[in-house]
Amino acid sequence: MRARRTALAAAVALAAAVGTPLLTAPAASAAPAKLSDDFNGDGYRDFVMLGGSHGKDGRVTVVYGTSAGPGTRVQTLHQDSPGIPGAVEEGDWWGAAATTADLDRDGYADLVVSSPGENVGTIQSRGGLTVVWGSANGLGSGTVFNSPVPQEYENQGDFFGEDVVSGDFDGDGDPDLAVTSNSQVGVVLLKGPFTRAGGKSGWDSLGGGYGYLHAPNLVAGRVTADAATDLYMLGSDLQDGDINMRAYFHRGGSTFTQRAGEVLVPDDGGHQGGDILAIGDFDKDGYGDLAIGRGYETGDGERGYVTVQYGGSGGPNAARKPVKFTQNTTGVPGSSENEDYFGSAIAAGDVNGDGYADLAVGARGEDLGTKRNAGSVTVLLGRAGGLSGTGAKSYSQDTSGITSSPETDDQFGAYLKLTDYTRDGRADLMIDTNEQLGYEDRWGLVHQLKGSTSGITTTGSKSYSVTSLNLSYARLGGPFAR
Ligand SMILES: [Ca+2]
Ligand SMILES: [Ca+2]
Ligand SMILES: [Ca+2]
Ligand SMILES: [Ca+2]
């Protein structure tokens, strides 16, 4: 595969050198997908919802994209779907995590779904990944990739796949997967390219020196200025008699498996639910910065806050002091109150197209009048010098233009995603809620707010429901990052 691509590249270079139009270059093999989450190759990103993960009916819902964002074509996938290997079983957690990348380089993005509770033979909770392959018709058949980690205990597996992210971590041009393993190995690097027959280029481990790794909090993105994808992973370790939470940094490239830095995550109050690490270049200096959501800090009544550790040429730049944001920061709407959980979910993306990454911050515990835990989302804008409270805006189901109305425990903002679905160069904000029907039945209601030159707007907002009886939230699957 690599040899063939190299040959094609040489042919294209030769054609260009002699002045032949590029269109006459042989179409011997398809180019890799331009977008990591465009499963049907129509130029629009497709939206993935993980409709709960801890029940028997773990499933993934895909909404195919249009120029207005996710449209009306909806596909629900589970292990009893045609072409998907395995069977729906209690405790598989199929859909606990997901990521996307064109793993076989055929021009169509592929969907990676993890099932960390899957039994393999007599081994309980061995876990695994299902890659569902893209095509002109969208997602079709799947291939299972099992844990390559040697078995540590006779019948107990390593819960392979509590989190999975994609990126070109080793810098060879092919997308790879970083996957958590509840073993001494810690995190596994599966190297691409991958084949539909189950082939891969090999694997490696990022183990050693970690205490407890927290899933789901692997985050991939561009931190240093080179082309390889970098990785932060959240873990806890014992140093100087204290247990501290840290974001460990691995720099993409030939030394990827070695730790290249770390960022202290203050006030270890644990976490639950949404992603609390996000990479974005908030000051547009070419280096990705790490935002850390501390919604569950214990020292201050779980009011919550966000810190930003700026990046530099080699990774996190320790020379720049982390900057902290709360709802009491100048310019940020609202005020910091007990159990707001501001920062319990975060997402980075450029909402206004000015080249500075911006940060969406969920406060799932925000009360609206008498509606407890109705939830709100605040968008902080990046600008010269970095992320700022200036111009920050907040959104809730009370905001004009947003459908539905706030109720107790809606938890608007429990999960967030900032991705440009409308292809206008500005990230759109996807907000998950915990709407309830009846006492136990839940359905996820996801709101889409579009990005615009003036930031996130409620004009033209839409919402999508996902049926997920007795399941946890519709966690929003993450894309390939670089
Ligand atoms: Ca598409
Ligand atoms: Ca593909
Ligand atoms: Ca930066
Ligand atoms: Ca921006």
Side-chain angles (χ1 to χ4, degrees), residues 172-185:
D172 68 353
D174 292 311
D176 314 304
L177 297 172
V179 193
T180 58
S181 161
N182 188 9
S183 69
Q184 290 182 1
V185 164

PDB file of all heavy atoms in Angstrom, residues 172-185:
ATOM      1  N   ASP A 172       4.296   8.591  10.221  1.00  0.00           N
ATOM      2  CA  ASP A 172       4.640   7.993   8.924  1.00  0.00           C
ATOM      3  C   ASP A 172       3.592   8.292   7.847  1.00  0.00           C
ATOM      4  O   ASP A 172       3.713   7.805   6.723  1.00  0.00           O
ATOM      5  CB  ASP A 172       4.841   6.479   9.060  1.00  0.00           C
ATOM      6  CG  ASP A 172       3.539   5.745   9.375  1.00  0.00           C
ATOM      7  OD1 ASP A 172       2.507   6.412   9.613  1.00  0.00           O
ATOM      8  OD2 ASP A 172       3.553   4.498   9.392  1.00  0.00           O
ATOM      9  N   GLY A 173       2.571   9.061   8.180  1.00  0.00           N
ATOM     10  CA  GLY A 173       1.562   9.435   7.194  1.00  0.00           C
ATOM     11  C   GLY A 173       0.296   8.612   7.250  1.00  0.00           C
ATOM     12  O   GLY A 173      -0.703   8.986   6.631  1.00  0.00           O
ATOM     13  N   ASP A 174       0.308   7.507   7.962  1.00  0.00           N
ATOM     14  CA  ASP A 174      -0.884   6.677   8.080  1.00  0.00           C
ATOM     15  C   ASP A 174      -1.531   6.886   9.452  1.00  0.00           C
ATOM     16  O   ASP A 174      -0.839   7.000  10.453  1.00  0.00           O
ATOM     17  CB  ASP A 174      -0.526   5.186   7.945  1.00  0.00           C
ATOM     18  CG  ASP A 174      -0.062   4.852   6.546  1.00  0.00           C
ATOM     19  OD1 ASP A 174      -0.763   5.247   5.598  1.00  0.00           O
ATOM     20  OD2 ASP A 174       1.008   4.231   6.406  1.00  0.00           O
ATOM     21  N   PRO A 175      -2.870   6.904   9.495  1.00  0.00           N
ATOM     22  CA  PRO A 175      -3.529   7.058  10.791  1.00  0.00           C
ATOM     23  C   PRO A 175      -3.326   5.846  11.685  1.00  0.00           C
ATOM     24  O   PRO A 175      -3.334   4.704  11.224  1.00  0.00           O
ATOM     25  CB  PRO A 175      -5.002   7.246  10.434  1.00  0.00           C
ATOM     26  CG  PRO A 175      -5.165   6.760   9.050  1.00  0.00           C
ATOM     27  CD  PRO A 175      -3.835   6.860   8.384  1.00  0.00           C
ATOM     28  N   ASP A 176      -3.117   6.117  12.957  1.00  0.00           N
ATOM     29  CA  ASP A 176      -2.935   5.075  13.978  1.00  0.00           C
ATOM     30  C   ASP A 176      -4.049   5.234  15.014  1.00  0.00           C
ATOM     31  O   ASP A 176      -4.792   6.213  14.999  1.00  0.00           O
ATOM     32  CB  ASP A 176      -1.570   5.247  14.661  1.00  0.00           C
ATOM     33  CG  ASP A 176      -0.441   5.472  13.667  1.00  0.00           C
ATOM     34  OD1 ASP A 176      -0.284   4.604  12.782  1.00  0.00           O
ATOM     35  OD2 ASP A 176       0.251   6.503  13.757  1.00  0.00           O
ATOM     36  N   LEU A 177      -4.128   4.269  15.923  1.00  0.00           N
ATOM     37  CA  LEU A 177      -5.094   4.342  17.016  1.00  0.00           C
ATOM     38  C   LEU A 177      -4.360   4.231  18.347  1.00  0.00           C
ATOM     39  O   LEU A 177      -3.472   3.395  18.498  1.00  0.00           O
ATOM     40  CB  LEU A 177      -6.116   3.204  16.908  1.00  0.00           C
ATOM     41  CG  LEU A 177      -7.004   3.215  15.659  1.00  0.00           C
ATOM     42  CD1 LEU A 177      -7.826   1.927  15.574  1.00  0.00           C
ATOM     43  CD2 LEU A 177      -7.912   4.441  15.645  1.00  0.00           C
ATOM     44  N   ALA A 178      -4.719   5.089  19.291  1.00  0.00           N
ATOM     45  CA  ALA A 178      -4.234   4.960  20.664  1.00  0.00           C
ATOM     46  C   ALA A 178      -5.414   4.475  21.501  1.00  0.00           C
ATOM     47  O   ALA A 178      -6.497   5.067  21.459  1.00  0.00           O
ATOM     48  CB  ALA A 178      -3.708   6.281  21.193  1.00  0.00           C
ATOM     49  N   VAL A 179      -5.203   3.384  22.244  1.00  0.00           N
ATOM     50  CA  VAL A 179      -6.298   2.687  22.905  1.00  0.00           C
ATOM     51  C   VAL A 179      -5.915   2.397  24.352  1.00  0.00           C
ATOM     52  O   VAL A 179      -4.807   1.903  24.608  1.00  0.00           O
ATOM     53  CB  VAL A 179      -6.596   1.331  22.193  1.00  0.00           C
ATOM     54  CG1 VAL A 179      -7.920   0.758  22.675  1.00  0.00           C
ATOM     55  CG2 VAL A 179      -6.570   1.471  20.683  1.00  0.00           C
ATOM     56  N   THR A 180      -6.815   2.668  25.289  1.00  0.00           N
ATOM     57  CA  THR A 180      -6.501   2.351  26.684  1.00  0.00           C
ATOM     58  C   THR A 180      -6.630   0.854  26.937  1.00  0.00           C
ATOM     59  O   THR A 180      -7.465   0.168  26.345  1.00  0.00           O
ATOM     60  CB  THR A 180      -7.435   3.081  27.670  1.00  0.00           C
ATOM     61  OG1 THR A 180      -8.780   2.711  27.368  1.00  0.00           O
ATOM     62  CG2 THR A 180      -7.278   4.585  27.576  1.00  0.00           C
ATOM     63  N   SER A 181      -5.769   0.366  27.813  1.00  0.00           N
ATOM     64  CA  SER A 181      -5.794  -1.034  28.240  1.00  0.00           C
ATOM     65  C   SER A 181      -5.580  -1.050  29.739  1.00  0.00           C
ATOM     66  O   SER A 181      -4.628  -0.455  30.243  1.00  0.00           O
ATOM     67  CB  SER A 181      -4.663  -1.798  27.535  1.00  0.00           C
ATOM     68  OG  SER A 181      -4.375  -3.005  28.216  1.00  0.00           O
ATOM     69  N   ASN A 182      -6.476  -1.719  30.446  1.00  0.00           N
ATOM     70  CA  ASN A 182      -6.385  -1.778  31.900  1.00  0.00           C
ATOM     71  C   ASN A 182      -5.378  -2.864  32.288  1.00  0.00           C
ATOM     72  O   ASN A 182      -5.710  -3.896  32.837  1.00  0.00           O
ATOM     73  CB  ASN A 182      -7.763  -2.071  32.497  1.00  0.00           C
ATOM     74  CG  ASN A 182      -7.772  -1.964  33.999  1.00  0.00           C
ATOM     75  OD1 ASN A 182      -6.795  -1.519  34.596  1.00  0.00           O
ATOM     76  ND2 ASN A 182      -8.865  -2.377  34.611  1.00  0.00           N
ATOM     77  N   SER A 183      -4.115  -2.606  31.932  1.00  0.00           N
ATOM     78  CA  SER A 183      -3.043  -3.565  32.189  1.00  0.00           C
ATOM     79  C   SER A 183      -1.781  -2.757  32.447  1.00  0.00           C
ATOM     80  O   SER A 183      -1.809  -1.530  32.447  1.00  0.00           O
ATOM     81  CB  SER A 183      -2.829  -4.457  30.960  1.00  0.00           C
ATOM     82  OG  SER A 183      -2.269  -3.689  29.902  1.00  0.00           O
ATOM     83  N   GLN A 184      -0.674  -3.442  32.654  1.00  0.00           N
ATOM     84  CA  GLN A 184       0.580  -2.726  32.875  1.00  0.00           C
ATOM     85  C   GLN A 184       0.992  -1.918  31.648  1.00  0.00           C
ATOM     86  O   GLN A 184       1.794  -0.992  31.743  1.00  0.00           O
ATOM     87  CB  GLN A 184       1.688  -3.727  33.239  1.00  0.00           C
ATOM     88  CG  GLN A 184       1.484  -4.333  34.615  1.00  0.00           C
ATOM     89  CD  GLN A 184       2.595  -5.288  34.999  1.00  0.00           C
ATOM     90  OE1 GLN A 184       3.527  -5.488  34.243  1.00  0.00           O
ATOM     91  NE2 GLN A 184       2.482  -5.865  36.176  1.00  0.00           N
ATOM     92  N   VAL A 185       0.443  -2.273  30.508  1.00  0.00           N
ATOM     93  CA  VAL A 185       0.780  -1.570  29.275  1.00  0.00           C
ATOM     94  C   VAL A 185       0.176  -0.165  29.248  1.00  0.00           C
ATOM     95  O   VAL A 185       0.759   0.755  28.711  1.00  0.00           O
ATOM     96  CB  VAL A 185       0.313  -2.414  28.063  1.00  0.00           C
ATOM     97  CG1 VAL A 185       0.287  -1.593  26.801  1.00  0.00           C
ATOM     98  CG2 VAL A 185       1.239  -3.606  27.901  1.00  0.00           C
TER      99      VAL A 185
END
